[in-house]
Amino acid sequence: MQVGVFVLAALIGVGSALGLVLRRNPVHGALFLVVNLGSVAVLYLTLGAQFLAAAQVIVYAGAIMVLFVFAIMVLIPGKEETGPDPRRSTRLLALPVGGLLLVQLVVMLTARRGAPAGTAPAGGVESLGRLLFTDYLFPFELTSVLLLAAMVGVLVLARRRPS
């Protein structure tokens, strides 16, 4: 089961990374990045790193992506959509599929209540913080520089070119 979840999350991660690189629309690219960051959080969960998965979702998929999407929306004027909705049938299908997913979530949560609680992982937030700021300080800072470079890249790409 865990290997299947890992393979599925890895495939979604690779697919969303390809979608991020290949899409010309910056908003679609940002949404593919959100999917990619979510799949990385699932990969963290399969490795037993619940804190990192939660931090991934809260910090990167939440806060950073809201900032990116906001910057893209402000810097790139969008086209007004007029006329009939070309995806109306797909949008009408979203409600029953969402309901089915909700039922599946409820079934999974009720089945989980009967299962015995797992043991707490070794270490914890304190040992993670100690490792993050000692042994893994360089990769941590490198990640912050990469995020800064990505933000500068978005601003450069979004800048209007003189005609």
Side-chain angles (χ1 to χ4, degrees):
M1 174 76 175
Q2 191 173 10
V3 173
V5 171
F6 180 85
V7 168
L8 182 64
L11 288 174
I12 290 172
V14 169
S16 62
L18 287 173
L20 168 65
V21 173
L22 298 175
R23 294 300 277 195
R24 295 188 59 83
N25 187 335
V27 175
H28 293 166
L31 293 175
F32 273 115
L33 185 57
V34 169
V35 172
N36 187 277
L37 293 173
S39 67
V40 169
V42 171
L43 291 174
Y44 283 146
L45 284 176
T46 61
L47 294 172
Q50 291 84 6
F51 177 76
L52 286 178
Q56 176 79 16
V57 170
I58 292 168
V59 174
Y60 293 114
I64 300 295
M65 286 315 302
V66 167
L67 177 67
F68 277 6
V69 171
F70 180 73
I72 289 169
M73 294 297 213
V74 166
L75 295 174
I76 300 174
K79 301 176 201 168
E80 293 185 25
E81 294 184 17
T82 57
D85 188 7
R87 296 188 179 139
R88 186 168 192 268
S89 60
T90 307
R91 293 182 204 277
L92 292 177
L93 185 63
L95 190 61
V97 170
L100 182 66
L101 288 174
L102 181 65
V103 168
Q104 183 180 8
L105 180 64
V106 168
V107 168
M108 288 175 60
L109 287 177
T110 55
R112 177 85 173 146
R113 287 185 188 201
T119 59
V125 176
E126 182 180 345
S127 64
L128 177 68
R130 190 175 318 281
L131 280 173
L132 188 62
F133 292 111
T134 56
D135 295 342
Y136 296 104
L137 181 63
F138 180 71
F140 180 74
E141 291 299 327
L142 186 64
T143 303
S144 66
V145 171
L146 284 173
L147 285 172
L148 178 64
M151 283 192 286
V152 170
V154 165
L155 291 174
V156 168
L157 290 174
R159 188 181 62 190
R160 291 183 183 214
R161 296 190 169 54
S163 356

